[in-house]
Amino acid sequence: MADVTMADVAARAGVSRALVSIVLRGAPGASPANRERVLRAAAELDYHPDHRARLLRSARTRTLGVVHALHRPFHAELVEALYGAVEGTGWRLALEPSVGSRPERAAVRALLDLRCEAVLLVGPALARADLAELAGRVPLVVMARSLRGVAADVVRTDDEAGARSAVEHLLSLGHERVAHLHGGRAPGAAERRRGVRAALAAAGLPVTLLPGGLTDADGVRAAPAVLAPGGPSAVLAFNDACAAGLLAAARAAGRDVPADLSVVGYDDSAVAALSTVALTTVGQDARALAHHAVARALARTEDAGLPPGEDVVAPRLVVRRTTAAPDGTGAR
């Protein structure tokens, strides 16, 4: 059976389609008698408005678009926190993941096609020019990446402070050969390198940067350099996944963690908290990041003239069982 339309209701009530629209929207302009006729006809025909069509006609969609990397655990944590932040606001989220075969640009285009009123990019790798062009089209919030010179709001963790606190923890245990498995050009990587350099320079110690990355495979690939004779006694990995790969490789090589090697991750992901991993790590406050991001996005949808701003959330050091003094006697 075909769906009942507004025209069907108008024909049954003997009024115009425009008058049916007025009545069903609750707008003024219909007499009590006509209003009663329209409502009775709608009930008799079991008419239900097409909310999708109404959404397409509306000037507002009350939708926030989110682009995130599909295989990044911390991105998944941020997305979950975004759902909590948007709850009760009357807004909804539209998610578009990016993967190797589906780049961020494609995900952004899909969100623009959905007429999202603002776009939140989680740890974007897009070039600054692309971000500037996007910010000129739609209110834009960049999460988990430092950004200058673009008219977009930024919400991020203080990655420099997070990396510095991790290295200072290792120094406090007595380590003097500390390496950082860096994240190359990944969002946040430059800030974490700065934090590592600052902590080691303050201690008068050399800086050792080794190629790391975002995945456990990157941690495995870094293992030979870390485990070589004369290598570091402690390592800060770019993130928890990289740290987990290094841990697996070290244990497969017969090294004890933390007696032979202390390892610190970054993100405090679900993997880090597993009892079989118990990774010392730098925690990011996903809930705070999400609430700041949603607040900025909603504010900009109401006032496009707001100047861009930045919220920087403090990280926290989470000490578990993968760090100890170089002789294995320190706190675990």
Side-chain angles (χ1 to χ4, degrees):
M1 181 178 177
D3 291 339
V4 177
T5 67
M6 197 177 292
D8 296 326
V9 176
R12 172 67 69 94
V15 299
S16 68
R17 186 182 180 283
L19 186 59
V20 172
S21 176
I22 287 172
V23 172
L24 296 181
R25 287 187 289 111
S31 69
N34 281 338
R35 187 175 300 277
E36 183 180 349
R37 269 201 299 274
V38 169
L39 294 176
R40 184 186 309 115
E44 290 171 353
L45 293 172
D46 194 25
Y47 171 73
H48 299 283
D50 186 344
H51 294 289
R52 293 170 299 176
R54 184 175 64 186
L55 183 65
L56 290 173
R57 292 190 299 269
S58 171
R60 310 258 337 236
T61 63
R62 300 187 73 80
T63 301
L64 303 179
V66 181
V67 176
H68 64 102
L70 187 62
H71 301 303
R72 293 281 300 276
F74 184 63
H75 285 206
E77 187 177 345
L78 279 176
V79 167
E80 182 177 356
L82 286 169
Y83 274 109
V86 82
E87 187 174 355
T89 65
W91 288 69
R92 65 190 183 101
L93 300 181
L95 303 184
E96 285 292 338
S98 65
V99 294
S101 59
R102 188 173 190 267
E104 288 176 311
R105 288 187 182 86
V108 168
R109 282 196 300 271
L111 293 176
L112 295 179
D113 289 344
L114 289 174
R115 299 174 58 239
C116 293
E117 294 194 47
V119 172
L120 288 71
L121 302 181
V122 181
L126 289 171
R128 188 185 304 270
D130 293 325
L131 293 171
E133 190 274 336
L134 180 59
R137 300 179 61 183
V138 66
L140 177 64
V141 180
V142 172
M143 301 181 69
R145 172 180 169 178
S146 180
L147 186 65
R148 298 287 185 271
V150 175
D153 290 305
V154 173
V155 177
R156 64 181 180 89
T157 296
D158 189 342
D159 284 313
E160 183 173 344
R164 188 170 61 246
S165 69
V167 174
E168 289 172 348
H169 166 65
L170 295 170
L171 296 177
S172 72
L173 294 173
H175 291 278
E176 296 183 349
R177 293 178 290 116
V178 178
H180 175 42
L181 301 187
H182 65 84
R185 298 176 62 86
E191 290 74 23
R192 294 176 199 182
R193 285 193 291 270
R194 282 202 295 270
V196 170
R197 289 190 179 102
L200 291 173
L205 294 173
V207 177
T208 300
L209 299 177
L210 299 173
L214 284 67
T215 69
D216 56 351
D218 293 315
V220 171
R221 279 192 291 269
V226 172
L227 302 177
S233 63
V235 171
L236 167 63
F238 175 71
N239 65 10
D240 290 344
C242 184
L246 176 61
L247 282 173
R251 288 168 175 163
R255 303 296 181 88
D256 183 275
V257 177
D260 299 327
L261 177 71
S262 285
V263 178
V264 181
Y266 205 107
D267 288 342
D268 194 23
S269 63
V271 170
L274 291 173
S275 60
T276 53
V277 179
L279 179 68
T280 295
T281 185
V282 177
Q284 301 195 64
D285 191 338
R287 184 176 180 275
L289 292 167
H291 278 270
H292 282 302
V294 168
R296 285 199 172 273
L298 296 188
R300 191 166 288 279
T301 63
E302 298 300 329
D303 184 358
L306 284 175
E310 180 179 59
D311 293 309
V312 181
V313 177
R316 67 192 187 284
L317 181 68
V318 182
V319 179
R320 295 194 178 98
R321 297 199 303 272
T322 59
T323 52
D327 60 2
T329 61
R332 303 187 185 187

